[in-house]
Amino acid sequence: MTIRVLLADDQPLIRAGLRVLIADTPDLEIAGEAGTGAEAVGLVAETSPDVVVMDIRMPDMDGIEATRRIRGAGPGTARVLMLTTFDDDDYVYGSLRAGASGFLVKDMALEEILAAIRVVAGGDALIAPSVTRRLIEEFAARPQPAAGKPRRVEGVTERELEVLTLVGRGLSNQEIAAELVISVATAKAHVARLLAKLGARDRVQLVIIAYEFGLVAPPTGGSTT
């Protein structure tokens, strides 16, 4: 199946580079190009792409608001992959909250960009371990709403709460299964129920929810790179 990609970036050179890359890839094709967030929202409605590769900083409407509108249109809408420079941009958390399925770093290798598009098109979140650690550390460094005391997560069982905590720590389904002495299929089922109960779009948002509810403590002591 060919994955149809919409490019949204206010830098023509970035779009041109991605266009050439995608044109040389048999399972990907360009659905359209936009130079602003507002154009991206309009083109998604017109062209129905599978994935939008979205810049964050654009004129007229930024990528976060554009993502919120695209994903707010209902089930079956395009999945969004943000394009940013993480070291200089602290908008990643906001973009994930708006409904993005992950993000790319502009200096990633070309093959990694293609792989990321395929991951998102397949219905999964882009969770690059090194970048996810940076995201978690960035979020964890912010003031916690309950002074470090976990808040009650309504409608979630004790077992699901354990799973949510482990997801927040960055564990995979296999690692969760080993930690709780359950099968991988059972761990996967718990994660699926958490996604449904908490209205989370993907695993990245479960990580964010775990931090929001104080289930995972911010790192203390020395920093890591």
Side-chain angles (χ1 to χ4, degrees):
M1 185 182 72
T2 301
I3 300 168
R4 303 180 70 248
V5 182
L6 176 68
L7 303 177
D9 197 300
D10 63 336
Q11 298 181 50
L13 286 177
I14 296 290
R15 296 201 309 271
L18 289 172
R19 187 194 317 123
V20 171
L21 175 66
I22 289 172
D24 289 338
T25 307
D27 62 331
L28 304 179
E29 70 177 24
I30 296 294
E33 296 182 34
T36 72
E39 287 179 6
V41 173
L43 281 174
V44 166
E46 292 176 14
T47 64
S48 300
D50 300 302
V51 176
V52 181
V53 177
M54 180 87 73
D55 190 14
I56 289 180
R57 293 179 176 176
M58 289 186 290
D60 189 21
M61 180 190 296
D62 67 25
I64 294 175
E65 179 59 27
T67 298
R68 187 176 293 111
R69 297 192 186 192
I70 290 168
R71 294 299 298 163
T77 55
R79 295 175 68 83
V80 179
L81 193 57
M82 304 304 290
L83 184 68
T84 185
T85 304
F86 188 83
D87 286 342
D88 301 327
D89 199 334
D90 91 331
Y91 296 152
V92 177
Y93 173 70
S95 69
L96 295 175
R97 292 286 293 174
S101 295
F103 55 91
L104 301 177
V105 179
K106 286 188 176 180
D107 61 359
M108 285 175 66
L110 297 181
E111 286 303 316
E112 291 177 326
I113 293 175
L114 296 178
I117 292 172
R118 294 186 184 102
V119 165
V120 169
D124 293 323
L126 174 66
I127 309 179
S130 60
V131 182
T132 300
R133 281 197 299 273
R134 295 288 299 276
L135 169 64
I136 291 172
E137 288 171 2
E138 177 81 8
F139 181 79
R142 300 177 183 185
Q144 298 298 302
K149 296 181 180 179
R151 293 157 52 198
R152 181 174 178 80
V153 186
E154 297 294 338
V156 172
T157 67
E158 288 299 319
R159 175 60 87 186
E160 288 166 350
L161 196 64
E162 290 178 314
V163 172
L164 179 58
T165 302
L166 296 176
V167 170
R169 286 169 44 193
L171 273 64
S172 66
N173 289 340
Q174 290 81 2
E175 292 167 333
I176 291 171
E179 181 81 13
L180 299 179
V181 195
I182 57 178
S183 70
V184 174
T186 299
K188 188 174 182 179
H190 282 311
V191 172
R193 283 195 290 271
L194 283 168
L195 290 168
K197 287 184 176 182
L198 300 177
R201 294 178 179 88
D202 49 47
R203 202 180 187 95
V204 173
Q205 287 203 322
L206 288 183
V207 172
I208 293 171
I209 289 169
Y211 272 89
E212 285 184 326
F213 280 87
L215 300 176
V216 182
T220 57
S223 60
T224 60
T225 55

